Amino acid sequence: MSQQQSEKDKRKEKIKAIVLSLNELFPSISLQTLHQVVLDCNLDEALAIETVIQMCEENGDLLEASIDDEEKEEEHETPECGCDHHDHEEENYEEEEEIEYNEDDIVGEEHYFDDDIGEQVDESAFVEVVKTREFKTKGELYKVLDTKELLQDQEAEVKTAAETLQLKSKVFVECMLKEYQWNTEKLIRDYGDLGLDALLTKCGLNPDFKKSCSSSTIGTCDACYSDDVPLYAYDMCGHVFCRTCWKEYIVNHVKTAMNDNTVKCMDYSCKTTLTETFMLSQLDPKEDKELFEKFFQRKIDSYVGSSYRLKWCPNPGCDGPYAIKKLCDESLYIAQCKCGEECCFQCDKDPHFPCSCDVYKRFLTIAQDDFASKEFIHRTSQQCNKCKRIIFKDVGCNHINCVCGHEFCYICGSEYTSYVHAETVCAPKTVKTSEDIKLFSAAEELYGRFVSLYRRHNQWLEEHKRTGHYRLEIANYKEKFFHIRPTKDLKFLLDSFRNIYRCRRLLRSCYAFAYIHFGFDTLKIKFNTTKKSEKEFLMLETYGYLFNDHLSRLEDYTSDLLLNLDAILNLSLDERDFRSRITTMQGKSHLITNTQKNIIDFINTSFDMKEISYK
Ligand SMILES: [Zn+2]
Ligand SMILES: [Zn+2]
Ligand SMILES: [Zn+2]
Ligand SMILES: [Zn+2]
Ligand SMILES: [Zn+2]
Ligand SMILES: [Zn+2]
């Protein structure tokens, strides 16, 4: 009996939780109505939201006044969810109606325009989910630095390493870090393994070097062969050249953006690293002011270019320059620059979860070069040498009579001169096994759809990246309507756009993932007919269907959201219509957040992302 009681309590708790979350989304609809919808939908939150949205669309009055009891009865008699538990719910209803809703939890209409209420849609929620799911790391994953901060950051790196290695000369430490591509951990490890002297030698530095005054002598310069000129020695190795030659050498280095990280001594056989102090001492601060600036610019470039943790923002229109510094050791698949651009730190492309960089690259080759259809044609067809028509043949004789009159062999493509075209004289250009043909036609049929869906989203995303269309439209709208529409709603429009953008980006890479993972790879298993792979295939196929199901949900919600956004931006709506659209959008946004979470959960639980290795 008590167990039954606790079951009932649990159910009540659940109903209450769903009703309250619906109340947040639809604050103008009465709790009784929401409560009833939740029961009608058998406690399915997603279904309940859809039902309420539908109700709002069908009956705009709902938004202004909550329906009274008679109407509620009507609603109840014609449930929209079509579930078959209504009689049962009916019996429990009296009892369950007793649920008390805490007033603090309820979002009422009077609060609706209050800007203090938290955002309805947490735009960063999705990014957060991806981050935590993918990396399971707490704390900052990356930071964005401008040029000034980069110099400070570099100094800080040098300082930390110098302290750990207990070295006084920061100039030396900087040279070593450059040699180690700013991988401090590796430098410290090698310090432990090799000892200081060997480490310094490895980095082109002289361990016995004690700072001494740069001595000048008179003699012949080995670089320009001028006689009786003052020669200056680089103390670390003792090589001497005239001032003009040293300067030319260093200026050359500063001016030409070479990729080498450290600058070596001018003597061609000498591997000694020139320190920054020495190089700067060869320049005149007054005369070479421009060169000094260039020198520091070069220093930053070389820092970003050589550090495996740093990368310039890949956005060509970035208002920085800003560099992204990776703080975590794991791969960083999504990072956002201060200019707003989001990218994959590893490969510079747009974020592409759930694809790995390799899988995404592999898919892009397919999508861009129309690889799939070319490969398909190549594998399953033959081309007439005379008129260049592509001929497909499923069954039947290999003797092809082309419409142009040319007769040729389907296997090797050569002209059919004799009816005894035996296998001995036939030398196939490409081997077309029936397995290949089956595989590619199956892949094309099942998963070619993914490629076209990918392209649809890609086109939209690229178009927007280029034109910034929606951002402009929304800005115009704000300017035009700021006096009659609540600020909160205007902000919500931009949030919704961001939401749509991210959804389409997620969908785009999900289709790429599905094509590679459920397409070719699944089919390869299918045509490999061992018992084990048969099982694997069935499992993958099921996953494929489930995944597709999630994606089409997200497709629907996203296009609904976009449809309403378009309507608000392009049609002159009256207040009631505007409000109804906003409410619909809020509902859809909530569904989108849930679906995104489901997709990410699905991927993370169905596949061990680390174990998927593509070659
Ligand atoms: Zn010289
Ligand atoms: Zn030297
Ligand atoms: Zn940027
Ligand atoms: Zn990547
Ligand atoms: Zn022909
Ligand atoms: Zn032949």
Side-chain angles (χ1 to χ4, degrees):
M1 195 64 197
S2 69
Q3 201 183 344
Q4 220 174 357
Q5 192 59 42
S6 78
E7 284 294 317
K8 236 175 209 170
D9 286 346
K10 262 191 203 159
R11 192 178 147 82
K12 275 189 185 179
E13 275 303 306
K14 198 174 171 197
I15 295 172
K16 187 176 166 182
I18 299 173
V19 169
L20 286 177
S21 99
L22 285 179
N23 173 249
E24 255 179 60
L25 287 169
F26 309 102
S28 55
I29 296 173
S30 79
L31 289 174
Q32 289 91 333
T33 311
L34 294 176
H35 186 106
Q36 191 53 50
V37 171
V38 171
L39 292 183
D40 284 346
C41 296
N42 202 21
L43 277 60
D44 179 337
E45 192 180 357
L47 189 58
I49 292 172
E50 283 189 274
T51 311
V52 178
I53 290 173
Q54 218 172 328
M55 279 160 62
C56 293
E57 280 165 357
E58 283 165 14
N59 184 0
D61 290 341
L62 273 172
L63 297 163
E64 278 142 49
S66 54
I67 48 169
D68 56 30
D69 284 2
E70 286 87 11
E71 279 174 292
K72 191 183 79 193
E73 287 304 318
E74 274 174 33
E75 286 290 332
H76 188 53
E77 277 164 30
T78 53
E80 280 161 83
C81 62
C83 74
D84 49 4
H85 302 291
H86 284 290
D87 294 340
H88 172 69
E89 306 296 357
E90 193 89 49
E91 283 161 20
N92 287 339
Y93 186 59
E94 287 301 310
E95 216 178 319
E96 278 168 346
E97 209 181 22
E98 288 165 19
I99 295 175
E100 281 178 25
Y101 293 97
N102 187 342
E103 277 191 28
D104 293 343
D105 294 336
I106 299 166
V107 184
E109 198 169 6
E110 64 275 15
H111 297 120
Y112 195 64
F113 299 111
D114 194 340
D115 272 340
D116 291 340
I117 299 174
E119 276 184 73
Q120 299 275 355
V121 179
D122 182 4
E123 47 157 291
S124 63
F126 168 55
V127 182
E128 284 310 315
V129 171
V130 174
K131 270 187 207 165
T132 49
R133 291 280 168 184
E134 274 195 83
F135 311 114
K136 299 182 178 87
T137 314
K138 277 176 189 157
E140 252 188 318
L141 296 167
Y142 65 91
K143 59 182 175 185
V144 181
L145 306 167
D146 62 22
T147 42
K148 208 177 135 202
E149 288 164 329
L150 278 167
L151 278 175
Q152 289 165 355
D153 187 72
Q154 191 180 24
E155 257 169 50
E157 290 269 359
V158 172
K159 196 170 165 244
T160 317
E163 275 164 13
T164 318
L165 298 174
Q166 291 179 310
L167 277 177
K168 273 189 194 137
S169 167
K170 286 196 181 138
V171 178
F172 271 29
V173 175
E174 191 175 329
C175 287
M176 288 196 283
L177 277 171
K178 271 188 191 170
E179 200 74 37
Y180 272 81
Q181 290 169 5
W182 299 92
N183 191 337
T184 313
E185 296 78 26
K186 191 163 183 273
L187 176 70
I188 291 168
R189 258 205 316 278
D190 277 8
Y191 175 75
D193 293 348
L194 303 171
L196 182 61
D197 283 5
L199 189 65
L200 285 171
T201 312
K202 192 183 166 197
C203 297
L205 299 165
N206 185 352
D208 302 323
F209 172 69
K210 300 282 177 291
K211 201 178 161 77
S212 62
C213 296
S214 202
S215 50
S216 71
T217 49
I218 304 287
T220 306
C221 171
D222 280 343
C224 63
Y225 303 112
S226 307
D227 289 323
D228 301 328
V229 285
L231 299 175
Y232 297 87
Y234 180 45
D235 289 332
M236 192 104 63
C237 59
H239 285 115
V240 289
F241 296 97
C242 76
R243 179 136 270 176
T244 323
C245 285
W246 273 123
K247 188 171 172 178
E248 203 177 304
Y249 181 68
I250 288 155
V251 167
N252 221 357
H253 163 75
V254 174
K255 277 188 175 166
T256 55
M258 284 178 297
N259 277 328
D260 62 342
N261 202 13
T262 49
V263 187
K264 301 292 176 190
C265 170
M266 193 166 28
D267 187 282
Y268 70 96
S269 65
C270 181
K271 297 272 182 291
T272 310
T273 304
L274 297 185
T275 61
E276 190 182 302
T277 326
F278 177 76
M279 289 194 278
L280 284 175
S281 74
Q282 300 302 312
L283 301 177
D284 187 328
K286 276 182 197 156
E287 252 179 61
D288 307 317
K289 215 177 154 215
E290 242 177 72
L291 279 170
F292 262 81
E293 273 167 30
K294 259 217 168 94
F295 185 89
F296 282 101
Q297 185 52 52
R298 183 92 171 72
K299 187 177 152 124
I300 294 167
D301 280 347
S302 131
Y303 179 47
V304 176
S306 63
S307 168
Y308 74 112
R309 286 188 182 277
L310 279 164
K311 166 164 284 184
W312 292 112
C313 165
N315 178 9
C318 181
D319 48 13
Y322 292 116
I324 297 162
K325 183 173 190 187
K326 185 167 95 159
L327 301 175
C328 55
D329 289 327
E330 301 88 342
S331 298
L332 178 59
Y333 293 116
I334 184 165
Q336 185 172 32
C337 175
K338 279 180 186 154
C339 70
E341 178 89 349
E342 284 173 316
C343 68
C344 168
F345 184 89
Q346 309 302 123
C347 71
D348 270 2
K349 296 200 168 60
D350 279 358
H352 48 64
F353 177 85
C355 296
S356 67
C357 299
D358 280 352
V359 167
Y360 198 54
K361 219 160 94 191
R362 188 173 145 198
F363 178 81
L364 288 182
T365 333
I366 294 171
Q368 278 166 3
D369 304 348
D370 222 346
F371 170 83
S373 31
K374 266 189 207 155
E375 184 74 4
F376 176 66
I377 288 166
H378 178 69
R379 295 261 196 156
T380 58
S381 65
Q382 192 56 271
Q383 194 173 25
C384 169
N385 276 334
K386 206 170 159 198
C387 69
K388 306 294 172 203
R389 273 190 184 83
I390 303 287
I391 312 283
F392 287 92
K393 182 184 77 77
D394 202 5
V395 283
C397 169
N398 286 329
H399 176 191
I400 303 293
N401 282 300
C402 182
V403 282
C404 72
H406 184 60
E407 289 176 52
F408 63 94
C409 165
Y410 192 74
I411 305 292
C412 66
S414 64
E415 197 176 355
Y416 222 96
T417 45
S418 141
Y419 281 91
V420 237
H421 190 84
E423 258 176 54
T424 40
V425 293
C426 175
K429 279 191 296 189
T430 49
V431 183
K432 291 179 186 46
T433 65
S434 57
E435 286 299 275
D436 271 345
I437 296 174
K438 261 197 258 166
L439 179 71
F440 277 90
S441 34
E444 190 69 8
E445 196 181 305
L446 278 169
Y447 302 103
R449 203 175 66 88
F450 287 147
V451 180
S452 47
L453 283 167
Y454 164 87
R455 286 205 184 111
R456 196 159 66 86
H457 289 295
N458 190 48
Q459 210 175 3
W460 188 88
L461 290 162
E462 291 299 318
E463 166 93 11
H464 186 269
K465 239 184 166 179
R466 213 179 58 242
T467 62
H469 171 74
Y470 276 95
R471 267 172 217 287
L472 291 173
E473 291 261 292
I474 291 167
N476 285 342
Y477 188 86
K478 271 186 179 168
E479 213 169 284
K480 225 164 128 190
F481 291 101
F482 75 97
H483 55 290
I484 53 165
R485 305 282 192 227
T487 328
K488 187 179 165 56
D489 290 338
L490 293 174
K491 188 178 174 298
F492 176 69
L493 293 182
L494 189 60
D495 290 345
S496 297
F497 167 69
R498 288 198 186 120
N499 206 358
I500 293 165
Y501 190 86
R502 289 205 169 111
C503 280
R504 300 203 105 172
R505 200 173 61 197
L506 176 67
L507 282 166
R508 173 174 70 175
S509 39
C510 278
Y511 288 128
F513 180 80
Y515 184 80
I516 297 288
H517 196 66
F518 300 122
F520 281 128
D521 291 356
T522 311
L523 287 161
K524 255 175 218 155
I525 297 175
K526 186 179 183 175
F527 289 102
N528 176 358
T529 47
T530 64
K531 272 266 156 58
K532 185 181 166 260
S533 62
E534 183 74 11
K535 253 189 207 160
E536 257 175 61
F537 166 72
L538 284 173
M539 210 174 75
L540 266 179
E541 200 181 40
T542 315
Y543 279 147
Y545 285 126
L546 288 173
F547 191 54
N548 197 27
D549 206 49
H550 283 303
L551 295 186
S552 42
R553 262 173 195 248
L554 189 58
E555 279 281 357
D556 289 348
Y557 299 146
T558 309
S559 57
D560 285 351
L561 194 57
L562 185 60
L563 209 76
N564 282 286
L565 180 64
D566 276 338
I568 288 178
L569 293 176
N570 299 316
L571 309 173
S572 43
L573 304 174
D574 60 21
E575 176 60 26
R576 203 180 111 178
D577 209 357
F578 175 79
R579 185 112 318 275
S580 143
R581 298 262 183 195
I582 290 280
T583 310
T584 306
M585 285 169 75
Q586 280 162 344
K588 297 288 176 190
S589 304
H590 190 74
L591 290 170
I592 282 173
T593 310
N594 283 346
T595 315
Q596 283 174 337
K597 276 185 190 142
N598 288 342
I599 289 176
I600 292 160
D601 275 349
F602 178 81
I603 290 164
N604 283 318
T605 51
S606 307
F607 311 97
D608 185 348
M609 296 303 281
K610 280 193 188 105
E611 270 185 21
I612 299 175
S613 59
Y614 295 99
K615 275 175 195 130

